[in-house]
Amino acid sequence: MRLLTVTAFVAWLLLGSTPLSAQSSDRIAAEGGDIIITPILHSSVQIEHAGTVVHIDPWSAGDLAEAKPADLILVTDDPGHHLDPEAIAHLRKPGAPVVLTAAAHARFGDGEVLANGEQGVFAGVPVEAVPAYDMTPGQPWHPPGEANGYVITLGGQRLFFSGVGECVPEIQALENITVAFMPMNLPLDRMRPRPVAECVKTFGPEVVYLIHYDNATARWFGDREQPRPDNVEEIAGTIAALREALDGEPITVRDGDWYPR
């Protein structure tokens, strides 16, 4: 596992982060060619494999200038940083399926609803909807049945994109996951670094990306009239704590520039 100190991570955030147009993409070996992973913003990510492009939670607050047109779009929830009609319209190829929850469909008025536990094949990509919900009471509350995570299979590899919620039994029961995208630093101490580490240990992905972990900066991207939050060291500390909690495990935590400067 590649470790990054808090000081080094802060320097990387301040000096090395770049917009999507210059942002490096990661690769995962797969049948038929590598899977290419390009972080965009918060929980928005572009996935490519063998000519197929999948976007998860596309958000127009991010830099979509060089994002590729989508063969498939997956939406995990209905708030605007997950469900963004402007971003969907910008990226969607004619006729490309948009897979989303019932709540998101009610707001968007289009797409294919996939309920918790259901699965289907869209644009040739097998998709499974994994429940995303909270078990700890308190606001903001994510009740069972309203949001999805997704497992997609590309080139024989299974990639899990968690919706916003806790480490529910349905996540712990996942099998044969190569890459997991996991939220962290959620309100009311849900999914802090150590619980995230314990969660991924239950289903053992080979690679973990942290997503949706800097909500203050995400709010700034949505409304830039206020100063950008000065929380770089705090966020770096939580990522370092996650890495420490996974030290010695056969799980690689990869860096993703989810909040470009």
Side-chain angles (χ1 to χ4, degrees), residues 114-168:
L114 209 60
N116 289 175
E118 292 185 340
Q119 55 187 294
V121 178
F122 305 91
V125 179
V127 179
E128 307 166 31
V130 180
Y133 59 94
D134 290 335
M135 297 178 290
T136 302
Q139 295 298 328
W141 171 244
H142 305 100
E146 286 196 2
N148 283 336
Y150 296 101
V151 173
I152 65 173
T153 302
L154 295 169
Q157 305 286 22
R158 285 163 53 83
L159 289 75
F160 170 55
F161 303 87
S162 177
V164 176
E166 294 185 272
C167 189
V168 297

Side-chain angles (χ1 to χ4, degrees), residues 20-110:
L20 177 65
S21 58
Q23 186 177 19
S24 62
S25 299
D26 288 340
R27 291 177 177 267
I28 299 292
E31 300 168 8
D34 290 350
I35 298 167
I36 304 172
I37 298 169
T38 306
I40 299 179
L41 178 65
H42 200 41
S43 61
S44 176
V45 59
Q46 173 182 284
I47 307 295
E48 305 168 65
H49 177 258
T52 295
V53 177
V54 183
H55 279 272
I56 297 89
D57 286 352
W59 189 19
S60 53
D63 184 355
L64 301 179
E66 295 193 16
K68 296 187 177 180
D71 297 285
L72 170 63
I73 295 174
L74 305 177
V75 177
T76 63
D77 208 344
D78 64 331
H81 56 281
H82 298 288
L83 172 65
D84 182 348
E86 179 183 342
I88 292 172
H90 176 76
L91 292 171
R92 187 182 190 183
K93 289 182 180 178
V98 177
V99 176
L100 70 182
T101 65
H105 185 273
R107 293 185 57 186
F108 183 56
D110 193 6

